[in-house]
Amino acid sequence: MKVGVLVSGSGTNLQAILDAQRAGGLGPARVAVVLSNVAGVRALERAKAAAVATEVLPHKGYASRQAFDEALVATLRRHDVELVALAGFMRLLTPTFLGAFPGRVMNIHPALLPAFPGVHSQKQALDYGARVTGCTVHFVDDGCDTGPIIAQAAVPVLDDDDVATLTARILVEEHRLYPAAIRAVAEGRVRSEGRRVKIAP
Ligand code: GRF
């Protein structure tokens, strides 16, 4: 199953996915292309280092969100992408995009959804005083971090945490959880019943 990974930044989750693929931990999933809406980001270097095709589509070059999403879809189709994994991709997708890959768009979020959606989730957790936070892999719908949950991992918040230390602790779990979830979807072990998502062993 050909996977398109959408990025905007550093790409540590992309790296975890590429490392899992090399180690045989991605099952039948193969990263066919890494697409960034920002030129020059570290994620693109990681893709090139792994000999994976890259595409850059700056969203500012498009008149509307929909026009941008149509270009994204066309680019992913050229690479025969069947499954889309958002990995730090900082754009909201329209129904135009989601309709092109129904039930086949995944995201990772650095909090235990539905807590702390949107941006700066680690700071939100600290400011709220949460003692436990974590990360969530979910299917993407047209809301912001509202799609059906596939997998979650909990992470403690320690008394002396700041955003950097908490972010790092969450990322350790993200890097484990996301490749495993992609593998489960690619192996056809993930079944949706309304909002509930079940994963066969
Ligand atoms: C991660 O925290 C992910 O959960 C969020 O964006 C961040 C991306 O980090 N969606 P990286 O680019 O994978 O290092």
Side-chain angles (χ1 to χ4, degrees):
M1 178 177 275
K2 290 191 177 177
V3 182
V5 182
L6 271 53
V7 298
S8 303
S10 80
T12 67
N13 277 286
L14 166 67
Q15 190 67 58
I17 293 163
L18 293 171
D19 290 348
Q21 175 173 306
R22 194 172 41 206
L26 222 51
R30 290 286 166 276
V31 179
V33 62
V34 171
L35 191 161
S36 176
N37 66 315
V38 184
V41 292
R42 178 95 176 85
L44 291 166
E45 299 307 317
R46 295 178 191 275
K48 285 175 192 154
V52 170
T54 59
E55 299 276 2
V56 179
L57 263 74
H59 58 274
K60 286 178 185 153
Y62 295 87
S64 65
R65 270 185 195 280
Q66 187 163 337
F68 175 61
D69 278 9
E70 282 166 6
L72 286 180
V73 170
T75 304
L76 295 172
R77 292 242 192 273
R78 267 200 286 114
H79 291 272
D80 298 321
V81 164
E82 302 163 83
L83 177 65
V84 177
L86 310 184
F89 184 67
M90 299 305 285
R91 304 295 299 170
L92 286 179
L93 295 168
T94 65
T96 297
F97 185 94
L98 299 172
F101 299 99
R104 284 281 175 272
V105 185
M106 306 168 70
N107 182 43
I108 184 149
H109 181 78
L112 291 175
L113 292 171
F116 314 130
V119 294
H120 308 308
S121 303
Q122 301 90 342
K123 182 170 188 306
Q124 290 187 55
L126 287 168
D127 290 350
Y128 196 88
R131 303 312 307 236
V132 176
T133 182
C135 53
T136 302
V137 178
H138 62 95
F139 286 119
V140 176
D141 65 11
D142 58 2
C144 178
D145 302 320
T146 51
I149 291 168
I150 302 168
Q152 294 186 300
V155 168
V157 181
L158 305 184
D159 285 349
D160 55 358
D161 266 339
D162 56 22
V163 169
T165 58
L166 182 57
T167 297
R169 193 175 308 113
I170 294 170
L171 276 173
V172 171
E173 293 303 312
E174 292 188 38
H175 297 161
R176 184 183 60 76
L177 201 66
Y178 209 6
I182 291 169
R183 178 183 193 152
V185 170
E187 288 179 341
R189 289 189 284 115
V190 176
R191 188 164 50 87
S192 291
E193 290 175 14
R195 279 209 62 93
R196 291 189 70 188
V197 177
K198 299 182 179 174
I199 305 184

